[in-house]
Amino acid sequence: MNSRKARIAVLVSGGGTNLQAILDAEKEGILTSGEVTLVISDRADAYALERAKKAGIPGKEIAKKFCGSQEAFEQKLTEALEENRTDLIVLAGFLSILSESFVKHYERRIINIHPSLIPSFCGAGYYGLKVHDAALARGVKITGATVHFVNEIPDGGEIIAQKAVEVEPGDTSEILQRRVMEQAEWILLPRAVETVSREIVGA
Ligand code: GRF
């Protein structure tokens, strides 16, 4: 019986509600094959870093603007990830671009949560509320969230899991975003992290 847990690094930029869902899943026994051992934010004021601190998990701020170039930014990211002996990288509301070479170095070891049913409303420029603005503008009746492997195409990697959410009359982007987070993202992501972690350590 392999009891090793996958060492998970979560990359964030904002409130960290998806990070919190993963941490809660560890406590609730939903995530047993992996453990969050590092949180990296590309913004110093991300509340996600506060959540990491409260959970006793090391947090780092690595921002491209202080690194000077994409290459230096990714070098610092890689150093932190390797020091952490990272098995799995989870992008949870992470907004910085990662280069093709960085992503290829971690093939099938980076997953992302996107707040729509890919291939709808995804790709360059679709993040945060913009995703829900587009869904409402198109008039879809069903939206949701997707967890996928990250490859060199924005939101183009193999889909791991999806969960549908109804759009309701009178929805604003903010109301819809919250419903998608509550009913899809916070349920889907921890379970996908468990599935991929088990693949990694079970292998
Ligand atoms: C949200 O828009 C969520 O849909 C997307 O990233 C944003 C921030 O999420 N995945 P979080 O609260 O920082 O996890």
Side-chain angles (χ1 to χ4, degrees):
M1 169 68 178
N2 184 331
S3 59
R4 184 172 95 81
K5 288 177 183 271
R7 294 176 61 83
I8 301 165
V10 182
L11 275 50
V12 297
S13 298
T17 63
N18 279 289
L19 164 67
Q20 192 63 55
I22 298 169
L23 298 178
D24 294 347
E26 279 189 65
K27 282 200 211 96
E28 291 154 13
I30 292 168
L31 173 57
T32 57
S33 304
E35 57 183 345
V36 178
T37 51
L38 176 64
V39 174
I40 299 176
S41 175
D42 58 5
R43 285 158 172 74
D45 61 350
Y47 188 68
L49 285 174
E50 205 49 44
R51 295 180 190 271
K53 193 173 171 190
K54 283 185 183 152
I57 294 165
K60 287 182 187 289
E61 187 230 328
I62 301 177
K64 183 177 168 185
K65 64 179 180 236
F66 298 128
C67 297
S69 69
Q70 181 71 22
E71 197 175 2
F73 171 60
E74 293 185 358
Q75 181 54 40
K76 279 186 76 74
L77 274 180
T78 301
E79 283 164 12
L81 291 165
E82 290 184 354
E83 186 187 354
N84 179 59
R85 291 180 285 115
T86 306
D87 296 303
L88 175 61
I89 299 166
V90 179
L91 307 185
F94 189 65
L95 295 175
S96 291
I97 302 295
L98 297 171
S99 69
E100 183 169 343
S101 60
F102 181 93
V103 163
K104 282 197 181 308
H105 180 69
Y106 290 103
E107 177 129 17
R108 287 183 76 81
R109 292 298 181 96
I110 310 177
I111 67 174
N112 180 52
I113 174 89
H114 182 76
S116 75
L117 295 175
I118 289 173
S120 297
F121 316 119
C122 68
Y126 284 101
Y127 58 88
L129 281 175
K130 292 173 187 279
V131 175
H132 305 293
D133 290 341
L136 291 175
R138 183 65 186 81
V140 295
K141 303 306 178 192
I142 298 289
T143 185
T146 303
V147 182
H148 61 94
F149 283 108
V150 173
N151 67 6
E152 64 285 359
I153 303 158
D155 299 326
E158 176 191 336
I159 290 174
I160 299 167
Q162 296 190 300
K163 192 169 189 307
V165 172
E166 292 209 9
V167 180
E168 293 178 11
D171 271 350
T172 62
S173 295
E174 289 78 5
I175 292 170
L176 184 54
Q177 178 182 53
R178 183 77 193 181
R179 188 179 309 121
V180 169
M181 290 166 101
E182 285 174 349
Q183 295 183 11
E185 295 179 44
W186 300 343
I187 294 168
L188 213 48
L189 186 58
R191 284 156 181 75
V193 170
E194 170 59 22
T195 301
V196 177
S197 294
R198 204 179 301 155
E199 270 175 27
I200 292 169
V201 293

